Amino acid sequence: MGTRIQNLANNFTTAGIVKAAAINNASVSGITSIPAGVGGALTLLSTQTASASASIDFTSGIDSTYDSYVFKFINMHPELDGGYFYVNFSTDGGSNYNVTKTTTTFKARHSEDDVTDVLQYVSGGDLTQETGNQPIALDGVGNASDESVSGYLHLFNPSSSTYVKHFIINSNADIGNANCVTSFVAGYCNTTSPINAVRFIQQSGNLDDGIIKMYGVS
Amino acid sequence: MGIATRKIANAFSTSGIIQSANINNASLDNITTIAGAGDMVFVSSATASSSASIEFSLGSYKEYKFFFVNMHPQTDDVYFQFNLSTDNGSNYNVTKTSTYFMAYLGENDAGAVLTYDNTLDLAQSTSNQNLLYSLGADADQNASGTLQLFNPSSTTYIKHWIANTNNAHYNNFSFNTYIAGYANTTSALTNIKFQMSSGNIDAGKILMFGVN
């Protein structure tokens, strides 16, 4: 018996089952997609890390490939204390971020000293057919070394040329005066033009740190 | 034909395709990644069976997402809770500040309330964080929901989480609870523990995913 046959045979158990040692990542590296229903529903499309960044823009990959997109923002840390963390949308590939939006905003807030605990609608955070930036965290985020905001934005069917584009945001932040702020933002881009770029930006100053990941949902 | 050759030959169909009977779960133990398989990666799961608690070790994913499915308590009118550890599970006592509000409606149409609950939020407390409201122990009563934990391995930032659950209240209400907060430490979180405020977790499954 040849050596190759013997080596091959050794990759099977006596019952004829392929041994784990005979298959590794390289064995399946040629597989780039698997049947629908197998695997996870989230596909990581892009990751950007802030580093004294004026904004974080996603200007590619937002198209009809996926019915919805999720952006996870993790430990977004501002240069300046107390500024709002914003999002806006573009229909022209990022040349302009000025899509008309109508939104609702409410938050829960609890102070570390247990003095303040509220659940309230934030009329100063919502938008009524406005093109301005949408606050993600409904209080200014602190810039102490351990302070940041984390959460997600879910954007539905941005490439539709029929419907307005809904989005839902949920975030948690620690703000400068030792408060925990949980923010709920939802609304729609009131346009039938496809949304093809998304911008995250601080109210003033840079985004000094933080990671934003864009996923397609299938 | 030798034994080895016969073994190999039997592993393949007459058209040369490896037969399904010749690959099992153990065959895939060395595969840790598959392109196109998605970026929410199953890490671990645990099924409760009269369990005092369920614990998971945390790693370096930037986000973990836990799914609670049909968590059923031994004892009526209890709270499903979690806590965090920075010392590999020796102590679950990380300082936390959180917000806590819920909507609820009774099966008899009572309630219909949206309210903040300042007895169940935490203010720089090391206590367990409640994830629902007064869970019932009737045979069909349980709680389900999710918990997202961001960047637990960071040694720079405090660690945010966001949770949402729905539970059957012991007095036959549906409670939809929103909890979020932060572990106020720059030490890396190493473990998370789930338990009931009293008695065991009699049934239910918790699944842990890492998000790439």
Side-chain angles (χ1 to χ4, degrees):
Chain A
M1 186 189 307
T3 303
R4 287 193 178 196
I5 293 291
Q6 186 60 62
N7 288 343
L8 187 55
N10 288 340
N11 285 330
F12 293 83
T13 68
T14 53
I17 304 297
V18 178
K19 294 178 177 177
I23 300 179
N24 60 22
N25 290 337
S27 305
V28 296
S29 60
I31 300 174
T32 57
S33 67
I34 55 179
V38 178
L42 287 181
T43 300
L44 178 62
L45 302 176
S46 178
T47 300
Q48 297 196 54
T49 301
S51 179
S53 307
S55 66
I56 299 257
D57 299 344
F58 291 85
T59 57
S60 63
I62 303 172
D63 52 34
S64 60
T65 304
Y66 294 95
D67 290 332
S68 68
Y69 291 80
V70 173
F71 299 84
K72 309 259 186 160
F73 39 93
I74 300 166
N75 296 137
M76 305 311 297
H77 178 74
E79 174 190 12
L80 303 179
D81 194 41
Y84 285 76
F85 180 49
Y86 287 125
V87 66
N88 213 332
F89 304 92
S90 171
T91 60
D92 56 12
S95 296
N96 298 278
Y97 289 92
N98 58 358
V99 173
T100 299
K101 298 172 289 297
T102 294
T103 64
T104 61
T105 51
F106 66 96
K107 70 180 180 184
R109 174 173 170 160
H110 187 206
S111 60
E112 293 182 4
D113 61 9
D114 210 16
V115 171
T116 302
D117 51 67
V118 295
L119 172 64
Q120 63 186 185
Y121 190 90
V122 182
S123 57
D126 60 11
L127 300 176
T128 308
Q129 293 297 91
E130 295 174 63
T131 60
N133 295 328
Q134 171 63 58
I136 288 174
L138 298 172
D139 266 306
V141 181
N143 75 340
S145 60
D146 63 349
E147 293 182 324
S148 67
V149 55
S150 298
Y152 64 88
L153 180 156
H154 199 155
L155 175 62
F156 297 90
N157 201 10
S159 65
S160 172
S161 56
T162 303
Y163 297 112
V164 303
K165 319 302 186 300
H166 295 283
F167 58 91
I168 296 172
I169 305 170
N170 187 194
S171 70
N172 199 72
D174 46 326
I175 66 173
N177 49 356
N179 280 262
C180 176
V181 176
T182 310
S183 300
F184 298 83
V185 178
Y188 51 84
C189 300
N190 198 356
T191 176
T192 55
S193 298
I195 301 293
N196 51 23
V198 177
R199 165 173 284 180
F200 297 89
I201 188 171
Q202 276 296 123
Q203 182 178 20
S204 60
N206 290 329
L207 285 163
D208 267 359
D209 195 11
I211 297 172
I212 304 181
K213 294 170 174 269
M214 180 175 77
Y215 300 86
V217 181
S218 57
Chain B
M1 186 185 298
I3 295 172
T5 307
R6 168 61 63 192
K7 189 194 303 182
I8 296 166
N10 287 340
F12 294 85
S13 70
T14 53
S15 59
I17 305 299
I18 195 163
Q19 303 196 75
S20 61
N22 295 95
I23 294 181
N24 61 21
N25 291 339
S27 303
L28 304 178
D29 281 353
N30 283 347
I31 296 176
T32 57
T33 179
I34 298 177
D39 286 296
M40 195 163 86
V41 180
F42 172 76
V43 176
S44 180
S45 70
T47 300
S49 179
S50 300
S51 307
S53 65
I54 291 177
E55 301 177 38
F56 294 94
S57 297
L58 301 168
S60 59
Y61 282 102
K62 293 297 184 186
E63 178 193 351
Y64 286 87
K65 188 161 187 175
F66 297 87
F67 291 80
F68 324 119
V69 183
N70 299 141
M71 306 311 295
H72 178 73
Q74 173 190 22
T75 307
D76 203 34
D77 188 12
V78 295
Y79 292 83
F80 182 57
Q81 311 171 319
F82 80 96
N83 212 330
L84 299 158
S85 171
T86 59
D87 57 8
N88 298 309
S90 295
N91 297 281
Y92 285 93
N93 57 358
V94 172
T95 299
K96 298 174 290 298
T97 294
S98 64
T99 62
Y100 193 109
F101 70 94
M102 67 265 198
Y104 61 88
L105 179 65
E107 294 177 10
N108 60 358
D109 209 26
V113 169
L114 171 66
T115 185
Y116 191 93
D117 191 317
N118 60 13
T119 66
L120 295 174
D121 59 8
L122 299 178
Q124 294 297 89
S125 170
T126 59
S127 300
N128 296 334
Q129 173 67 65
N130 292 312
L131 287 169
L132 47 69
Y133 198 88
S134 294
L135 179 58
D138 291 355
D140 62 348
Q141 291 181 321
N142 69 90
S144 294
T146 63
L147 167 68
Q148 291 170 268
L149 177 62
F150 296 96
N151 204 7
S153 63
S154 171
T155 54
T156 303
Y157 296 110
I158 64 174
K159 321 301 186 301
H160 296 283
W161 76 78
I162 296 172
N164 179 208
T165 64
N166 204 77
N167 76 277
H169 184 272
Y170 76 99
N171 205 19
N172 301 321
F173 284 74
S174 175
F175 270 76
N176 179 12
T177 306
Y178 295 83
I179 316 99
Y182 48 79
N184 200 353
T185 176
T186 55
S187 299
L189 301 176
T190 58
N191 298 76
I192 186 168
K193 179 165 76 173
F194 299 92
Q195 65 183 61
M196 295 292 173
S197 56
S198 178
N200 290 332
I201 308 172
D202 263 2
K205 187 172 185 177
I206 303 178
L207 302 98
M208 179 172 78
F209 293 83
V211 184
N212 285 323

